[in-house]
Amino acid sequence: MLNGKHEKIAHRVRALLNLARNGGDPSSNEAQTALLTAQRIMAEYGLEEAELKDAGEGLRTKEVLDDYATDFEKLSWWKKRLGKVIGQNFRCYSYLNKCDGYTRLAFIGLKDDVEIARELFAFATDFIRAGADQYMKTYRRDFLLHQGFRAGISLQRGVRNNYVEGWISGLDSQYTEQITKEGWGLVLTKDALVVEAYKNLGLERGKSSAHSVSQGSASQAAYARGYSDGKSFRATHKRIS
């Protein structure tokens, strides 16, 4: 049945992300291919589903899911930006729910898409933190070596933010390139039920969650490195077949 096949594919994506996330090595092949591989599997399944529909076979009942990807917290700007990028590329909407000065990020979409988007968000969050920690360790060491004193907290925060912004932009660019190359634009379009459910939430357009990149040489270098790291994933879906 198509339902069973769909669940099997969703399970494969989640298993891949769990393997990459829990492997303990951000530079491993599993980690470096996980995000794009998830998108590829979803898109390829979408094509198969469309072919079955054209052939007149029955499709499973669609279920829209509205679920949270974070707890209530002082949500960072970059998590908002990351949620938007993942939602756009995995047939979901991301939105923010606020209460008493705290915010949590949620996804709304078809059930399996939301479950995968949540896994992707958690995985990417871990990967970004690991990459930023590694970059800042080198940055602080080099700054002390060349300047003779430690970089200030404000400067460090700015450099780290630039790295993170670059990483997310790089990932978004890689997603876009894969979609364009494979011709998945229509396949990854949000389902009409999802669009209607999102409209029914009555959300107002929020402010941009993008970080303003500083223009200093250190800030630009951090952004460039983050962009390169975020764009470094390569899809090799045969590894999990």
Side-chain angles (χ1 to χ4, degrees):
M1 292 179 60
L2 181 60
N3 185 33
K5 184 175 183 180
H6 190 282
E7 291 177 353
K8 181 179 179 180
I9 291 172
H11 175 74
R12 286 172 63 194
V13 175
R14 289 193 292 269
L16 170 70
L17 294 170
N18 286 330
L19 174 64
R21 191 182 183 198
N22 298 322
D25 181 8
S27 64
S28 67
N29 289 332
E30 289 83 2
Q32 291 186 7
T33 63
L35 298 180
L36 284 187
T37 303
Q39 186 192 50
R40 175 177 289 277
I41 292 174
M42 288 182 66
E44 289 179 346
Y45 171 75
L47 287 172
E48 293 174 6
E49 184 177 43
E51 290 168 358
L52 287 173
K53 183 176 182 180
D54 291 340
E57 297 188 27
L59 294 178
R60 70 193 184 99
T61 301
K62 296 176 181 177
E63 178 183 351
V64 176
L65 178 65
D66 183 353
D67 201 5
Y68 296 104
T70 71
D71 294 325
F72 278 114
E73 60 184 80
K74 296 292 185 180
L75 197 67
S76 302
W77 64 268
W78 63 268
K79 288 186 179 180
K80 302 174 187 177
R81 168 106 163 93
L82 178 64
K84 183 176 181 181
V85 168
I86 289 177
Q88 287 175 338
N89 287 283
F90 286 85
R91 298 191 291 245
C92 300
Y93 287 102
S94 67
Y95 71 93
L96 305 177
N97 181 234
K98 300 182 179 181
C99 180
D100 296 331
Y102 293 90
T103 306
R104 58 184 177 183
L105 182 138
F107 290 108
I108 183 170
L110 296 182
K111 182 176 183 293
D112 289 327
D113 294 342
V114 169
E115 290 177 351
I116 291 171
R118 291 178 70 251
E119 294 284 348
L120 280 164
F121 180 85
F123 170 73
T125 296
D126 288 350
F127 204 95
I128 288 172
R129 284 175 175 150
D133 287 346
Q134 183 175 358
Y135 183 83
M136 291 307 298
K137 181 178 179 179
T138 300
Y139 170 78
R140 287 191 292 266
R141 181 196 64 200
D142 291 346
F143 187 95
L144 178 61
L145 179 64
H146 291 96
Q147 302 297 329
F149 56 91
R150 298 181 185 278
I153 298 300
S154 179
L155 177 59
Q156 291 188 48
R157 184 181 299 113
V159 170
R160 186 184 181 93
N161 281 339
N162 288 336
Y163 172 90
V164 172
E165 174 68 20
W167 198 102
I168 298 173
S169 296
L171 176 64
D172 191 25
S173 177
Q174 184 74 325
Y175 275 146
T176 300
E177 287 182 9
Q178 180 165 263
I179 291 172
T180 301
K181 179 180 179 181
E182 303 293 343
W184 291 339
L186 292 177
V187 177
L188 294 179
T189 299
K190 296 177 183 67
D191 190 271
L193 288 177
V194 175
V195 175
E196 184 65 22
Y198 181 74
K199 288 182 179 179
N200 289 339
L201 291 177
L203 300 174
E204 297 180 358
R205 184 179 297 276
K207 297 181 179 179
S208 171
S209 57
H211 166 68
S212 297
V213 181
S214 302
Q215 298 302 312
S217 59
S219 297
Q220 290 296 305
Y223 180 89
R225 176 57 185 275
Y227 186 92
S228 176
D229 288 351
K231 198 178 178 183
S232 66
F233 297 97
R234 292 294 182 267
T236 55
H237 64 290
K238 292 181 180 179
R239 290 181 58 86
I240 62 169
S241 59

